[in-house]
Amino acid sequence: MDNQAHELAQMRRSYEQAALDETHVAPTPLAQFQKWFDEAVHARVLEANAMTLSTVGAQGRPSSRVVLLKGLDERGLCWYTNYDSRKGLELAANPFACLQFFWPELERVVRVEGRVERLSDDESDSYYRTRPLGSRIGAWASPQSQVIATRQVLEVNWEAEQARQGTDPVRPANWGGFRLTPDRWEFWQGRPSRLHDRLVFTQAGAGWALSRLAP
């Protein structure tokens, strides 16, 4: 075993901050998530709303990337992107996805699975107007997920769109929001000796069934 492989094999930590018990978990997964999210923000977790989005395209090949949670309510979790991007096209082919939040400062992970649909034009327009002007222009300038020759392509596109769009650009038709409606939530709390706590809410009719998984 070379030195690098040996160093990787020795990289580990013991998780000892907290526990997750069935008797203290919130009655609904949304309430439990909101509780943990608030604690992550209070703990100053870097980009607490960052989540890994995993999709599977028509060919059955999975892909993952980090997006930002920008809406949360009883209907689901929302984010925004270019509909012509790889994730947008994969969701059009297979409208199911998984989201994962990793908050290492609290030794916690949350996984959410469910069906995905586009937000309405009104919802996407409303959010688009809240973005900084540079980001709004960037949505026009970037052909997301397409091959480009150099970074200069983006910079030239951005300058051209800045001149064309002015100070109040409208939302591009191929840019907008998605909502994942959960049918499964998993809450993971790190514990010593790798005996982690894993509590899962699965949809059961109009309610939720709670179970524990072995780590």
Side-chain angles (χ1 to χ4, degrees):
M1 183 181 293
D2 60 34
N3 288 339
Q4 183 180 23
H6 176 75
E7 291 173 1
L8 288 172
Q10 296 304 313
M11 291 177 66
R12 60 175 56 88
R13 60 178 291 178
S14 179
Y15 301 119
E16 301 180 358
Q17 287 192 38
L20 181 61
D21 185 89
E22 290 88 339
T23 61
H24 293 95
V25 72
T28 68
L30 179 59
Q32 180 64 33
F33 178 81
Q34 290 176 320
K35 177 178 182 296
W36 270 19
F37 185 81
D38 290 345
E39 291 174 358
V41 172
H42 182 74
R44 298 184 182 277
V45 170
L46 182 64
E47 298 275 30
N49 64 327
M51 54 189 186
T52 300
L53 165 65
S54 296
T55 56
V56 177
Q59 304 304 314
R61 187 183 184 96
S63 62
S64 298
R65 74 289 288 160
V66 176
V67 297
L68 297 177
L69 176 68
K70 289 297 181 179
L72 173 68
D73 58 25
E74 294 79 4
R75 297 171 297 171
L77 299 88
C78 302
W79 66 95
Y80 295 83
T81 189
N82 187 313
Y83 290 138
D84 295 330
S85 65
R86 179 175 178 179
K87 55 186 171 296
L89 297 177
E90 289 184 345
L91 286 169
N94 179 6
F96 293 90
C98 178
L99 300 169
Q100 177 169 291
F101 297 83
F102 178 41
W103 298 318
E105 295 88 340
L106 298 176
E107 301 173 351
R108 289 172 175 171
V109 174
V110 180
R111 295 177 63 238
V112 193
E113 300 175 23
R115 186 178 184 91
V116 179
E117 63 181 3
R118 288 190 185 188
L119 297 182
S120 69
D121 287 345
D122 286 346
E123 290 173 297
S124 292
D125 287 342
S126 179
Y127 173 73
Y128 182 79
R129 288 192 293 269
T130 71
R131 305 184 87 208
L133 177 59
S135 298
R136 282 181 278 161
I137 294 173
W140 283 96
S142 175
Q144 194 175 116
S145 298
Q146 295 183 26
V147 175
I148 56 175
T150 65
R151 177 176 176 82
Q152 188 178 12
V153 171
L154 290 178
E155 295 170 351
V156 170
N157 285 356
W158 194 93
E159 290 176 0
E161 291 297 344
Q162 182 185 38
R164 189 167 75 93
Q165 300 296 332
T167 60
D168 189 24
V170 297
R171 177 180 61 88
N174 66 340
W175 189 99
F178 284 104
R179 175 183 290 111
L180 182 145
T181 299
D183 56 26
R184 188 180 190 277
W185 296 74
E186 178 178 332
F187 296 87
W188 183 100
Q189 176 69 61
R191 297 295 303 276
S193 302
R194 296 297 186 261
L195 299 180
H196 311 302
D197 290 326
R198 296 177 63 191
L199 296 186
V200 175
F201 288 89
T202 52
Q203 197 166 33
W208 296 92
L210 177 65
S211 57
R212 175 178 286 268
L213 301 182

mmCIF file of all heavy atoms in Angstrom, residues 141 143 148-158:
data_model
loop_
_atom_site.group_PDB
_atom_site.id
_atom_site.type_symbol
_atom_site.label_atom_id
_atom_site.label_comp_id
_atom_site.label_asym_id
_atom_site.label_seq_id
_atom_site.Cartn_x
_atom_site.Cartn_y
_atom_site.Cartn_z
ATOM 1 N N ALA A 141 -26.811 34.184 -20.392
ATOM 2 C CA ALA A 141 -25.495 34.079 -21.017
ATOM 3 C C ALA A 141 -24.942 32.663 -21.071
ATOM 4 O O ALA A 141 -24.143 32.340 -21.962
ATOM 5 C CB ALA A 141 -24.510 34.977 -20.267
ATOM 6 N N PRO A 143 -25.031 28.706 -21.714
ATOM 7 C CA PRO A 143 -25.708 27.538 -22.292
ATOM 8 C C PRO A 143 -25.396 26.319 -21.420
ATOM 9 O O PRO A 143 -24.611 25.456 -21.809
ATOM 10 C CB PRO A 143 -25.094 27.428 -23.682
ATOM 11 C CG PRO A 143 -23.692 27.942 -23.497
ATOM 12 C CD PRO A 143 -23.793 29.020 -22.437
ATOM 13 N N ILE A 148 -18.199 24.450 -24.289
ATOM 14 C CA ILE A 148 -17.771 25.754 -24.786
ATOM 15 C C ILE A 148 -16.251 25.736 -24.931
ATOM 16 O O ILE A 148 -15.561 24.977 -24.257
ATOM 17 C CB ILE A 148 -18.209 26.903 -23.857
ATOM 18 C CG1 ILE A 148 -17.691 26.686 -22.427
ATOM 19 C CG2 ILE A 148 -19.725 27.049 -23.862
ATOM 20 C CD1 ILE A 148 -17.979 27.851 -21.498
ATOM 21 N N ALA A 149 -15.727 26.566 -25.823
ATOM 22 C CA ALA A 149 -14.305 26.523 -26.141
ATOM 23 C C ALA A 149 -13.436 27.053 -25.003
ATOM 24 O O ALA A 149 -12.424 26.444 -24.638
ATOM 25 C CB ALA A 149 -14.030 27.309 -27.423
ATOM 26 N N THR A 150 -13.817 28.173 -24.423
ATOM 27 C CA THR A 150 -13.033 28.802 -23.356
ATOM 28 C C THR A 150 -13.976 29.549 -22.431
ATOM 29 O O THR A 150 -15.153 29.772 -22.747
ATOM 30 C CB THR A 150 -12.020 29.818 -23.921
ATOM 31 O OG1 THR A 150 -12.741 30.909 -24.530
ATOM 32 C CG2 THR A 150 -11.100 29.160 -24.953
ATOM 33 N N ARG A 151 -13.437 29.984 -21.284
ATOM 34 C CA ARG A 151 -14.236 30.807 -20.375
ATOM 35 C C ARG A 151 -14.622 32.132 -21.038
ATOM 36 O O ARG A 151 -15.672 32.707 -20.725
ATOM 37 C CB ARG A 151 -13.464 31.070 -19.080
ATOM 38 C CG ARG A 151 -14.240 31.973 -18.144
ATOM 39 C CD ARG A 151 -13.607 32.211 -16.812
ATOM 40 N NE ARG A 151 -14.409 33.157 -16.054
ATOM 41 C CZ ARG A 151 -15.500 32.855 -15.359
ATOM 42 N NH1 ARG A 151 -15.937 31.605 -15.345
ATOM 43 N NH2 ARG A 151 -16.176 33.777 -14.712
ATOM 44 N N GLN A 152 -13.789 32.582 -21.961
ATOM 45 C CA GLN A 152 -14.073 33.850 -22.629
ATOM 46 C C GLN A 152 -15.431 33.832 -23.313
ATOM 47 O O GLN A 152 -16.086 34.864 -23.444
ATOM 48 C CB GLN A 152 -12.969 34.168 -23.637
ATOM 49 C CG GLN A 152 -13.093 35.562 -24.243
ATOM 50 C CD GLN A 152 -11.967 35.887 -25.193
ATOM 51 O OE1 GLN A 152 -11.192 35.007 -25.581
ATOM 52 N NE2 GLN A 152 -11.859 37.144 -25.584
ATOM 53 N N VAL A 153 -15.863 32.657 -23.748
ATOM 54 C CA VAL A 153 -17.187 32.546 -24.366
ATOM 55 C C VAL A 153 -18.254 33.054 -23.408
ATOM 56 O O VAL A 153 -19.160 33.816 -23.795
ATOM 57 C CB VAL A 153 -17.470 31.089 -24.771
ATOM 58 C CG1 VAL A 153 -18.928 30.925 -25.213
ATOM 59 C CG2 VAL A 153 -16.517 30.649 -25.871
ATOM 60 N N LEU A 154 -18.162 32.620 -22.131
ATOM 61 C CA LEU A 154 -19.132 33.068 -21.135
ATOM 62 C C LEU A 154 -19.060 34.576 -20.921
ATOM 63 O O LEU A 154 -20.083 35.259 -20.808
ATOM 64 C CB LEU A 154 -18.893 32.353 -19.808
ATOM 65 C CG LEU A 154 -19.219 30.866 -19.740
ATOM 66 C CD1 LEU A 154 -18.862 30.328 -18.351
ATOM 67 C CD2 LEU A 154 -20.688 30.619 -20.039
ATOM 68 N N GLU A 155 -17.839 35.079 -20.825
ATOM 69 C CA GLU A 155 -17.667 36.504 -20.549
ATOM 70 C C GLU A 155 -18.186 37.362 -21.700
ATOM 71 O O GLU A 155 -18.838 38.394 -21.481
ATOM 72 C CB GLU A 155 -16.195 36.782 -20.256
ATOM 73 C CG GLU A 155 -15.719 36.097 -18.974
ATOM 74 C CD GLU A 155 -14.219 36.162 -18.776
ATOM 75 O OE1 GLU A 155 -13.516 36.589 -19.717
ATOM 76 O OE2 GLU A 155 -13.752 35.775 -17.688
ATOM 77 N N VAL A 156 -17.926 36.919 -22.929
ATOM 78 C CA VAL A 156 -18.438 37.647 -24.099
ATOM 79 C C VAL A 156 -19.959 37.567 -24.132
ATOM 80 O O VAL A 156 -20.645 38.576 -24.384
ATOM 81 C CB VAL A 156 -17.822 37.089 -25.392
ATOM 82 C CG1 VAL A 156 -18.534 37.658 -26.621
ATOM 83 C CG2 VAL A 156 -16.332 37.406 -25.452
ATOM 84 N N ASN A 157 -20.494 36.372 -23.875
ATOM 85 C CA ASN A 157 -21.961 36.220 -23.838
ATOM 86 C C ASN A 157 -22.573 37.121 -22.782
ATOM 87 O O ASN A 157 -23.621 37.748 -23.012
ATOM 88 C CB ASN A 157 -22.332 34.768 -23.535
ATOM 89 C CG ASN A 157 -22.125 33.840 -24.707
ATOM 90 O OD1 ASN A 157 -21.776 34.283 -25.794
ATOM 91 N ND2 ASN A 157 -22.327 32.554 -24.489
ATOM 92 N N TRP A 158 -21.946 37.160 -21.596
ATOM 93 C CA TRP A 158 -22.508 37.953 -20.497
ATOM 94 C C TRP A 158 -22.536 39.435 -20.857
ATOM 95 O O TRP A 158 -23.541 40.119 -20.625
ATOM 96 C CB TRP A 158 -21.700 37.731 -19.223
ATOM 97 C CG TRP A 158 -22.391 38.238 -17.992
ATOM 98 C CD1 TRP A 158 -23.203 37.546 -17.146
ATOM 99 C CD2 TRP A 158 -22.323 39.582 -17.471
ATOM 100 N NE1 TRP A 158 -23.663 38.364 -16.136
ATOM 101 C CE2 TRP A 158 -23.139 39.612 -16.311
ATOM 102 C CE3 TRP A 158 -21.677 40.744 -17.869
ATOM 103 C CZ2 TRP A 158 -23.311 40.762 -15.550
ATOM 104 C CZ3 TRP A 158 -21.845 41.899 -17.112
ATOM 105 C CH2 TRP A 158 -22.655 41.895 -15.968
#
